[in-house]
């Protein structure tokens, strides 16, 4: 039997059992294995992939849906990867077209690197924003944070979910409720007995990723970041919406350096829902 062309191989749903193959694919493309993140995405979202007859995956991506299960309000596409040995054969385009077909009329978003952006533009995605990735050891300095923060408790979850839905613009319960187990830290900012922001720090290789970061204002965001940094010796990494210029400047003054710029792109909507002024960083760019 002749070996079928990889461009004709079937696309299938991925499951958590594909974790190792997904991590291998990341490594193949020079990315960190990020098994902790892959595990979250494959359980909270829906993966799509193409099996390599020789073993492993030819390609993979993950879609995380938000809102009502039967009619999601938004889908976030991430971790779009094609094995190096199969690159430049149109496989990424085919996988993305499959996702667009499956998602139908559901609005979509993704974070695009300069390398991937031309493909997404060809498929109809529009750039509606930008994010800047920062990383480094956080060095405290300047005035003390003015907003009270503390570790989140189980009793805070309802208030966190309500705040998150208000700011993000749709319900993210399946993702947010995984944060206590997924993150090493989950902290809330409070004003009296009211929660006015929250942030998580989760382990990714040798760093702690700060995200999501949702806050009433920039001072609240600073207080949350400083409180997370005070409880870890690892380097921090995060992705800020570039419109938050004051927070970006503050973070750079405290040791975080610019690593990369990504385009925030949408499909089927002209801008993301919710309130960007209080949405400072995503949980991960792969999940929006």
């Amino acid at each position: 039997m002749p070996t079928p062309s990889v461009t004709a191989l079937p696309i299938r749903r991925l499951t958590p059992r594909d974790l190792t193959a997904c991590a291998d694919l990341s490594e193949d493309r020079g990315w960190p294995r990020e098994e902790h993140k892959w595990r979250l995405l494959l359980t909270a979202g829906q993966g799509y992939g193409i099996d390599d007859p020789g073993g492993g995956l030819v390609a993979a991506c993950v879609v995380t849906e938000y809102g009502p299960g039967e009619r999601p309000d938004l889908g976030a596409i991430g971790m779009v990867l094609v094995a190096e040995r199969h690159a430049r054969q149109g496989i990424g385009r085919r996988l993305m077209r499959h996702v667009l077909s499956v998602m139908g009329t559901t609005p979509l978003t993704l974070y695009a690197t300069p390398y991937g952006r031309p493909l997404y533009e060809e498929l109809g995605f529009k750039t509606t924003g930008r994010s800047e990735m920062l990383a480094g050891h956080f060095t405290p300095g300047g005035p003390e944070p003015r907003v009270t923060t503390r570790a989140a408790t189980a009793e805070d979850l309802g208030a966190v979910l309500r705040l998150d839905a208000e700011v993000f613009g749709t319900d993210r319960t399946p993702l947010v409720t995984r944060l206590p187990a997924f993150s090493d830290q989950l902290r809330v900012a409070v004003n009296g007995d009211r929660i006015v922001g929250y942030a998580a720090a989760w382990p990714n290789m040798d760093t702690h990723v700060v995200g999501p970061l949702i806050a009433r204002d920039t001072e609240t965001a600073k207080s949350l970041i400083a409180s997370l940094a005070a409880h870890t010796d690892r380097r921090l990494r995060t992705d800020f919406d570039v419109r938050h210029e004051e927070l970006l400047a503050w973070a750079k003054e405290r040791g975080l350096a610019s690593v990369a710029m990504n385009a925030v792109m949408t499909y089927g909507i002209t801008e993301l829902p919710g309130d960007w002024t209080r949405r400072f960083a995503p949980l991960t760019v792969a999940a929006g």
Side-chain angles (χ1 to χ4, degrees):
M1 292 287 291
T3 302
S5 166
V6 293
T7 58
L9 291 171
I11 297 170
R12 69 170 176 89
R13 293 284 188 100
L14 300 178
T15 75
R17 293 190 297 274
D18 295 298
L19 172 63
T20 299
C22 289
D24 289 345
L25 184 59
S26 289
E27 200 168 51
D28 174 80
R29 292 315 305 250
W31 291 19
R33 291 184 64 83
E34 299 186 308
E35 292 187 16
H36 188 59
K37 181 169 75 173
W38 271 112
R39 186 175 290 106
L40 174 74
L41 295 171
L42 290 171
T43 53
Q46 179 58 66
Y48 297 89
I50 301 172
D51 290 311
D52 190 327
L57 290 169
V58 170
C61 72
V62 179
V63 182
T64 309
E65 298 179 1
Y66 302 116
E70 64 280 0
R71 288 195 65 183
D73 297 321
L74 183 69
I77 301 173
M79 307 302 281
V80 181
L81 288 166
V82 177
E84 177 63 35
R85 61 193 178 279
H86 298 302
R88 295 170 292 279
Q89 297 180 42
I91 295 169
R93 180 180 295 101
R94 178 173 169 241
L95 185 60
M96 283 294 299
R97 289 192 185 281
H98 177 81
V99 170
L100 292 179
S101 175
V102 169
M103 296 303 293
T105 59
T106 301
L108 302 171
T109 185
L110 55 78
Y111 285 69
T113 64
Y115 175 80
R117 183 174 165 181
L119 168 61
Y120 303 131
E121 289 177 336
E122 176 188 325
L123 294 170
F125 284 82
K126 307 294 184 184
T127 298
T128 55
R130 290 187 304 144
S131 73
E132 185 170 1
M133 180 189 293
L134 303 181
H137 284 285
F138 182 89
T139 304
E144 288 293 313
R146 298 201 295 263
V147 181
T148 301
T149 69
R150 59 170 172 79
T153 67
E155 289 72 27
D156 296 324
L157 185 56
V160 167
L161 285 168
R162 288 190 294 273
L163 176 63
D164 186 85
E166 178 185 336
V167 174
F168 193 75
T170 186
D171 179 55
R172 294 199 291 179
T173 295
L175 197 70
V176 176
T177 53
R178 285 177 165 86
L179 287 178
F182 178 72
S183 305
D184 284 346
Q185 296 186 63
L186 180 61
R187 299 186 67 84
V188 293
V190 296
N191 180 15
D193 60 356
R194 188 165 66 95
I195 291 176
V196 294
Y198 84 95
W202 51 272
N204 190 38
M205 312 304 290
D206 63 343
T207 67
H208 267 129
V209 177
V210 175
L213 174 56
I214 282 177
R216 172 183 58 186
D217 51 32
T218 301
E219 286 303 314
T220 305
K222 291 178 182 178
S223 297
L224 284 164
I225 294 169
S227 67
L228 292 170
H231 293 84
T232 179
D233 293 327
R234 295 190 188 191
R235 296 168 67 248
L236 298 185
R237 201 185 87 195
T238 192
D239 295 85
F240 288 147
D241 185 315
V242 297
R243 291 172 289 188
H244 292 294
E245 296 177 1
E246 181 184 346
L247 186 65
L248 277 164
W250 174 85
K252 290 174 181 177
E253 288 170 0
R254 281 153 185 80
L256 303 191
S258 182
V259 175
M261 299 287 290
N262 289 313
V264 181
M265 307 188 78
T266 57
Y267 181 93
I269 47 174
T270 57
E271 60 182 356
L272 290 173
D275 180 4
W276 76 264
T277 67
R278 291 183 287 164
R279 186 175 58 233
F280 289 85
L283 186 155
T284 164
V285 296

